[in-house]
């Protein structure tokens, strides 16, 4: 094993207590003044990271990074993001607050942290303007969009200003999973044959999030977004949310029915980057290198949803070439994000 010069991870999350409180207050107001009381979700949340882990962008996080061989994290907002606030004015206010505070946190450790913007997607034009502000004034490296908005996937034409601005600025958009609609979760993932909390996990981090997020990427390709915006770059976590394993099938079947300039795999291999998001499987790593090439893979650990001190060692000991390790570990991130 030869140690890498550095390791950069780009799907690493944080939250702000003040923002969480404001988002919760908005959701309670939208719910008629009643706080949500989903006991299953509360049980599921006990399995996840503590608020201390999520809110810390300092000593605790840096200690983990030092112990696990991570030189830099690119930070993005985690659960309870103001991205999905439906009030346009409040969404912009809270997203700007998140981005400004993240910029302040990065200034404290500028060699260890960088940032992705949180965008108020209820107003796509304002979201584009906020992306412009965060890149040009705060030094952010792109943006993250999570799940869907108000039941709508981001391939809808109304969201095009966000992606147009990303192309104009030459920064990527990270397409991250989010909670799926309750009716879909009930149909696919809930059953009397397993506990309700297992159904909630099945519908989220256990499987459902990833299938849904992969579908979101395929929908964007099918919508023709890369014919409109040929230089747009997207990032997809969890080894591409299952899509790389089905590119051949998508080409053989779905591409027959679309009127695009290229096959689905052509767009995917030229415009999509993928990351492991803490799924440290040698078999998956070798497959995606074979399918996409090491140039399209960037490292990520999904901290603090996964706190694994083997994060750096997995890549350093992986049965791949030293050249591929360096590309995945830091060179691709530096090139794509301008680090």
């Amino acid at each position: 094993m030869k140690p890498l010069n550095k390791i950069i991870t780009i799907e690493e999350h944080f939250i702000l207590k003040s923002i969480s409180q404001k988002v919760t207050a908005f959701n309670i107001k939208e719910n008629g003044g009643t706080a949500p009381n989903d006991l299953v979700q509360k049980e599921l949340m006990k399995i996840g990271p503590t608020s201390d882990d999520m809110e810390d962008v300092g000593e605790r996080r840096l200690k983990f990074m030092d112990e696990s061989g991570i030189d830099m994290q690119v930070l993005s907002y985690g659960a309870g993001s103001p991205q999905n606030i439906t009030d346009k004015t409040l969404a912009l206010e809270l997203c700007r607050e998140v981005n400004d505070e993240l910029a302040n946190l990065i200034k404290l450790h500028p060699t260890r942290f960088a940032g992705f913007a949180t965008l108020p997607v209820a107003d796509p034009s304002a979201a584009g303007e906020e992306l412009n502000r965060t890149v040009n004034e705060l030094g952010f490296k792109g943006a993250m969009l999570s799940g869907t908005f108000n039941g709508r996937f981001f391939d809808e034409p109304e969201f095009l200003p966000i992606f147009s601005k990303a192309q104009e600025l030459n920064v990527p958009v990270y397409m991250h999973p989010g909670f799926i609609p309750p009716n879909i979760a009930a149909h696919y993932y809930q059953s009397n044959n397993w506990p309700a909390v297992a159904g909630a996990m099945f519908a989220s981090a256990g499987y459902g999030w990833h299938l849904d997020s992969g579908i979101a990427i395929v929908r964007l390709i099918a919508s023709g977004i890369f014919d409109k915006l040929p230089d747009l770059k997207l990032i997809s976590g969890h080894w591409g949310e299952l899509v790389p394993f089905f590119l051949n099938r998508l080409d053989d079947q779905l591409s027959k029915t679309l009127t695009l300039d290229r096959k689905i795999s052509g767009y995917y291999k030229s415009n999509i980057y993928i990351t492991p998001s803490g799924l440290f499987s040698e078999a998956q790593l070798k497959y995606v290198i074979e399918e996409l090439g090491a140039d399209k893979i960037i490292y990520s650990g999904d901290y603090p949803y996964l706190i694994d001190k083997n994060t750096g060692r997995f890549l350093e000991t992986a049965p791949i070439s030293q050249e591929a390790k360096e590309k995945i570990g830091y060179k691709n991130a530096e090139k794509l994000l301008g680090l």
Side-chain angles (χ1 to χ4, degrees):
M1 181 186 76
K2 181 180 178 182
L4 295 173
N5 290 334
K6 68 179 78 168
I7 295 179
I8 299 170
T9 57
I10 71 166
E11 188 187 321
E12 321 306 319
H13 302 290
F14 77 105
I15 64 171
L16 300 170
K17 185 176 182 179
S18 61
I19 294 295
S20 297
Q21 292 171 342
K22 292 174 183 177
V23 171
T24 298
F26 175 81
N27 291 335
I28 290 173
K29 180 181 177 182
E30 291 295 290
N31 197 39
T34 303
N37 189 31
D38 190 327
L39 297 179
V40 174
Q41 282 299 126
K42 289 181 179 179
E43 188 174 352
L44 186 65
M45 289 172 64
K46 293 178 182 177
I47 302 172
T50 67
S51 58
D52 287 342
D53 288 323
M54 291 297 304
E55 293 170 10
D56 175 79
V57 185
E59 182 178 350
R60 181 191 298 255
R61 188 179 296 254
L62 290 167
K63 183 174 184 292
F64 164 80
M65 292 168 66
D66 291 340
E67 291 176 348
S68 55
I70 306 303
D71 295 276
M72 173 178 277
Q73 288 186 346
V74 182
L75 304 174
S76 52
Y77 205 84
S81 171
Q83 169 198 290
N84 287 325
I85 294 288
T86 53
D87 181 297
K88 293 181 180 181
T89 301
L90 181 62
L92 178 57
E93 175 188 322
L94 295 187
C95 287
R96 286 179 66 97
E97 187 176 336
V98 165
N99 295 329
D100 288 343
E101 181 56 27
L102 177 56
N104 290 334
L105 292 168
I106 291 170
K107 287 178 182 176
L108 297 176
H109 304 281
T111 64
R112 306 304 302 274
F113 299 125
F116 284 135
T118 302
L119 302 179
V121 298
D123 186 340
S125 294
E129 292 171 5
E130 178 63 3
L131 178 58
N132 184 73
R133 184 184 78 91
T134 59
V135 171
N136 287 319
E137 296 182 20
L138 304 183
F140 283 11
K141 306 306 177 182
M144 177 172 282
L145 298 179
S146 294
T148 56
F149 174 69
N150 216 17
R152 296 169 69 78
F153 282 93
F154 287 110
D155 58 271
E156 296 289 350
E158 67 195 83
F159 300 113
L160 190 61
I162 299 172
F163 299 106
S164 296
K165 183 59 69 173
Q167 176 179 263
E168 177 187 325
L169 295 168
N170 193 31
V171 295
V173 179
Y174 203 125
M175 305 301 294
H176 188 271
F179 283 104
I180 63 179
N183 61 321
I184 296 176
H187 180 70
Y188 281 107
Y189 304 110
Q190 295 171 12
S191 171
N192 292 329
N193 294 316
W194 49 78
V197 69
M201 181 65 84
F202 192 8
S204 56
Y207 190 75
W209 277 352
H210 310 298
L211 188 63
D212 195 63
S213 191
I215 289 170
I217 291 287
V218 176
R219 286 180 62 106
L220 281 162
I221 296 172
S223 76
I225 196 169
F226 294 116
D227 289 339
K228 301 182 186 79
L229 303 172
D231 295 322
L232 174 66
K233 298 295 187 290
L234 303 180
I235 307 172
S236 181
H238 308 96
W239 298 124
E241 313 289 6
L242 306 175
V243 177
F245 306 92
F246 270 79
L247 286 176
N248 180 264
R249 184 66 167 176
L250 288 165
D251 282 349
D252 285 348
Q253 301 301 320
L254 183 56
S255 288
K256 295 175 182 177
T257 64
L258 297 171
T259 55
L260 300 174
D261 293 344
R262 291 185 282 165
K263 290 184 177 181
I264 288 174
S265 65
Y267 297 104
Y268 199 94
K269 292 179 180 182
S270 64
N271 294 79
I272 310 293
Y273 291 76
I274 71 170
T275 84
S277 309
L279 300 184
F280 298 138
S281 161
E282 289 185 358
Q284 290 172 310
L285 172 62
K286 289 188 286 187
Y287 180 87
V288 294
I289 290 176
E290 179 69 23
E291 183 68 25
L292 305 177
D295 290 336
K296 293 297 182 180
I297 306 167
I298 299 176
Y299 210 46
S300 67
D302 206 11
Y303 182 93
Y305 294 105
L306 180 73
I307 301 178
D308 187 346
K309 292 183 180 178
N310 190 47
T311 299
R313 184 172 176 79
F314 170 78
L315 183 59
E316 290 185 332
T317 61
I320 60 176
S321 70
Q322 187 68 19
E323 180 184 15
K325 291 178 185 180
E326 290 177 355
K327 287 181 177 181
I328 295 167
Y330 66 96
K331 288 185 176 180
N332 293 340
E334 290 180 336
K335 182 177 179 180
L336 180 65
L337 304 182
L339 293 170

